[in-house]
Amino acid sequence: MTIQNQPAIFYVNAALFDCDGTLVNSTGAISEFWRDFGKTRPHVNPDEIIRTSHGCRTFDVIAKWSPEDAEEQQVTKWEASIPDTFGHFAKAIPGAVELVKSFDKFSKEATEDQKQRWAIVTSGTLPLATKWLNLLTIEKPDCFITAEKVTKGKPHPMGYRSARDTLGFEHDDAKVVVFEDAPAGITAGKGAGAMIVGICSTYDPEKVRKAGADIVVDDLSSFKIVGYNKESNEFKVQVLEYHYANEEYLQNA
């Protein structure tokens, strides 16, 4: 992690979190799933799937590589088995659980209506994402957008746009931050009009930055909510360690 002398500061009304690669480093577990999937399917290239498909819905990947297996209920069962079979390869992204719980705590204690100002938007199915949250000891949020709830997966912005609408921040002038690790997710967040925190859990900092991230970090361990303004309904978030931050977030410090 590059340690900057000047903290980055941003103000947001709500925070939207990806799951795999953002809250939980599930790359190892999912990679093992694809390798196992490819053992009985010579036409499937697990290494190419692992290299190119992170952040995409499993159903979409299987439909591309092995269309005869693209049966929704079966894919959902396969996904749900990943934490049970390969979960020992997964671990929490440093600082992720603490940051999510901090947004939840501020939402309940500092806002006037006590409504959650955070959501999860994941390409994973509900059974898979729910198991990851259980492992992380994160309670399922009121707004939980999983693969079943969208007809167009990332990089399409449908999921993040839906979360904005659900939380009541659908207007373009509302300030929303998306936490993502994959280029497909970063593109989706940008398409939904959000600022992007890019996490280098899967890709190197340069790739994450080129994908469109406004702030690029190794993990979420140096993030802190340092205030909430009731008049503007905005959280003030401080970041102490980062590889890159747009100039506007340095000027806020």
Side-chain angles (χ1 to χ4, degrees):
M1 174 71 75
T2 300
I3 300 176
Q4 304 291 338
N5 293 323
Q6 183 178 2
I9 299 287
F10 59 90
Y11 299 85
V12 291
N13 302 115
L16 312 179
F17 294 88
D18 173 44
C19 186
D20 295 270
T22 297
L23 300 181
V24 58
N25 189 336
S26 58
T27 301
I30 293 172
S31 295
E32 290 302 314
F33 164 76
W34 285 122
R35 293 189 181 100
D36 187 67
F37 183 78
K39 287 178 180 178
T40 56
R41 297 167 178 83
H43 56 288
V44 171
N45 185 336
D47 291 334
E48 184 66 12
I49 291 176
I50 294 165
R51 189 181 70 83
T52 62
S53 300
H54 184 74
C56 299
R57 296 190 302 176
T58 303
F59 181 86
D60 294 337
V61 179
I62 289 179
K64 175 182 177 181
W65 284 90
S66 190
E68 65 273 18
D69 289 309
E71 198 283 312
E72 192 169 341
Q73 288 187 337
Q74 180 60 65
V75 173
T76 298
K77 289 180 180 178
W78 283 334
E79 266 209 2
S81 72
I82 293 175
D84 300 324
T85 308
F86 305 111
H88 54 288
F89 289 100
K91 58 184 178 180
I93 297 294
V97 174
E98 293 81 0
L99 183 60
V100 168
K101 290 184 176 181
S102 184
F103 269 107
D104 193 59
K105 180 179 174 65
F106 270 84
S107 295
K108 293 175 179 177
E109 298 180 359
T111 66
E112 293 186 355
D113 59 12
Q114 285 91 51
K115 291 183 178 180
Q116 287 182 339
R117 303 301 203 272
W118 66 280
I120 291 176
V121 181
T122 174
S123 296
T125 57
L126 180 61
L128 173 66
T130 299
K131 287 184 178 181
W132 286 141
L133 293 191
N134 289 339
L135 287 174
L136 296 172
T137 69
I138 294 175
E139 292 187 11
K140 186 171 69 174
D142 297 334
C143 181
F144 194 23
I145 308 296
T146 56
E148 301 92 336
K149 294 186 177 181
V150 297
T151 57
K152 297 179 181 178
K154 302 172 186 178
H156 196 280
M158 178 182 288
Y160 283 120
R161 177 56 66 178
S162 176
R164 288 189 68 144
D165 294 349
T166 301
L167 293 179
F169 298 106
E170 65 275 13
H171 301 296
D172 289 338
D173 57 352
K175 299 176 182 178
V176 176
V177 58
V178 161
F179 292 87
E180 265 284 1
D181 71 302
I186 291 171
T187 298
K190 282 290 184 182
M195 70 161 287
I196 309 294
V197 171
I199 301 153
C200 302
S201 60
T202 310
Y203 300 98
D204 64 73
E206 189 62 23
K207 188 176 182 69
V208 172
R209 180 180 177 183
K210 286 183 176 179
D214 299 293
I215 299 176
V216 178
V217 298
D218 281 337
D219 55 45
L220 301 178
S221 59
S222 76
F223 283 73
K224 183 179 181 181
I225 300 175
V226 294
Y228 170 76
N229 187 317
K230 287 188 176 181
E231 292 185 4
S232 63
N233 194 19
E234 291 178 352
F235 298 93
K236 180 180 180 181
V237 184
Q238 180 186 76
V239 190
L240 297 179
E241 299 180 3
Y242 50 88
H243 289 284
Y244 168 79
N246 285 351
E247 187 63 30
E248 63 181 290
Y249 306 117
L250 300 180
Q251 294 174 350
N252 287 334

